[in-house]
Amino acid sequence: MTELIPHIETQNLNVYYGSIKALEDVSIIIPRHQITMIIGPSGCGKTTLLKCLNRFIELEENSRVQGKVLLDGEDIYSPSIDVTEIRKKTGLLAQRPYPLPMSIFDNVAYGMRIHGLSSRTDLRRAVQHYLQIAGLWDEVKGRLHSPASQLSIGQQQRLCLARGLAVEPEILLGDEPTSALDPISAQHIEKRLLELKERYTIVLVSHILRQARRLADYVIFMYMGQVIEAGPAQQVFTQPQGERTRAYLSGEF
């Protein structure tokens, strides 16, 4: 069994939306350079937990966070932390791709320009590199200056993956990143994610158990705002410890 080296840890994490408690005493680890899948029924807190890992939860109205989220041992909610740096370390793939209203090239170059890369030669080389990693280069290399909006939705999601990787994050977060895609496009994204875990820590929310079984190295099962069970994927899927985990995996709810 691969040794679990924590990249992120949460300690007694509680999240409130107004008076509603969305997460309750969540203490977990996210292993480094593995794919962690957060699974559970709708409304159980999966996306809320994901948003806590890059402080996007603060963008939600009336949200309040208690507890700790440690990235490489440092609490990202500490007053001394630069939020911009935290979000640079954690790339995000949303349910639906949101390409910027500009060319394919400029979508990938956008973050690099913000962070100071201005050489046209370096940008061109870097854009090609990240489009290749995302598995999109061969499909778009002849139309880099065409609007990104002309791409298919599956291509747009791979473009967003390239754009996210271009700012060199340590961690990739995905909120059901294949849910809006056709099966072939979803397969493209899954293939890339499996390749990328050699270099990145990947955390995915999914409601598709088949996908979780295909991709997960580590699994966190949530129910009603609590973590019911967490562990290596093979252990959770073949020998779940909790009755609610067994019921969920067998399709009872």
Side-chain angles (χ1 to χ4, degrees), residues 48-227:
T48 295
L49 176 57
L50 195 74
K51 287 179 177 179
C52 288
L53 305 183
N54 62 356
R55 291 185 55 168
F56 268 36
I57 193 69
E58 295 173 328
L59 304 178
E60 299 286 338
E61 190 173 355
N62 294 326
S63 64
R64 181 164 48 93
V65 177
Q66 296 175 343
K68 292 183 177 181
V69 177
L70 306 177
L71 174 56
D72 292 323
E74 188 171 30
D75 184 8
I76 68 171
Y77 286 88
S78 168
S80 62
I81 290 293
D82 182 348
V83 180
T84 304
E85 274 302 304
I86 293 300
R87 291 177 183 161
K88 183 177 181 289
K89 289 182 178 181
T90 50
L92 178 66
L93 272 182
Q95 287 185 355
R96 294 189 64 84
Y98 291 103
L100 300 170
M102 53 184 68
S103 71
I104 295 167
F105 182 95
D106 287 336
N107 261 269
V108 183
Y110 182 79
M112 292 184 284
R113 285 180 172 136
I114 287 177
H115 293 289
L117 186 62
S118 57
S119 162
R120 187 72 181 176
T121 302
D122 290 344
L123 278 171
R124 192 160 50 239
R125 189 181 297 119
V127 167
Q128 177 176 343
H129 173 70
Y130 290 111
L131 285 171
Q132 285 173 329
I133 290 177
L136 192 56
W137 173 251
D138 289 339
E139 297 168 42
V140 303
K141 60 185 178 183
R143 50 180 175 142
L144 292 176
H145 299 290
S146 299
S149 58
Q150 293 179 358
L151 296 174
S152 71
I153 191 167
Q155 289 173 324
Q156 287 180 16
Q157 189 67 307
R158 280 182 283 153
L159 177 66
C160 290
L161 175 60
R163 188 178 72 206
L165 295 177
V167 296
E168 299 185 346
E170 297 178 13
I171 298 157
L172 287 177
L173 307 178
D175 189 2
E176 301 191 26
T178 64
S179 63
L181 307 183
D182 63 86
I184 298 299
S185 296
Q187 194 173 46
H188 275 303
I189 292 291
E190 287 188 8
K191 180 183 177 184
R192 296 300 155 192
L193 292 172
L194 285 168
E195 293 168 351
L196 289 168
K197 72 178 182 179
E198 298 298 322
R199 282 176 279 176
Y200 304 92
T201 296
I202 300 175
V203 188
L204 304 175
V205 164
S206 182
H207 66 282
I208 305 170
L209 279 175
R210 292 189 309 279
Q211 182 179 67
R213 291 178 191 275
R214 285 194 300 269
L215 297 181
D217 299 300
Y218 195 81
V219 173
I220 297 168
F221 170 59
M222 299 189 67
Y223 184 67
M224 296 185 70
Q226 296 179 316
V227 171

Side-chain angles (χ1 to χ4, degrees), residues 13-55:
L13 184 65
N14 294 276
V15 175
Y16 299 83
Y17 296 117
S19 61
I20 298 170
K21 197 170 193 178
L23 292 184
E24 183 173 353
D25 290 328
V26 171
S27 295
I28 54 163
I29 69 163
I30 304 290
R32 187 182 297 273
H33 292 180
Q34 294 194 22
I35 296 179
T36 295
M37 302 290 291
I38 305 173
I39 62 172
S42 295
C44 69
K46 301 187 297 292
T47 296
T48 295
L49 176 57
L50 195 74
K51 287 179 177 179
C52 288
L53 305 183
N54 62 356
R55 291 185 55 168

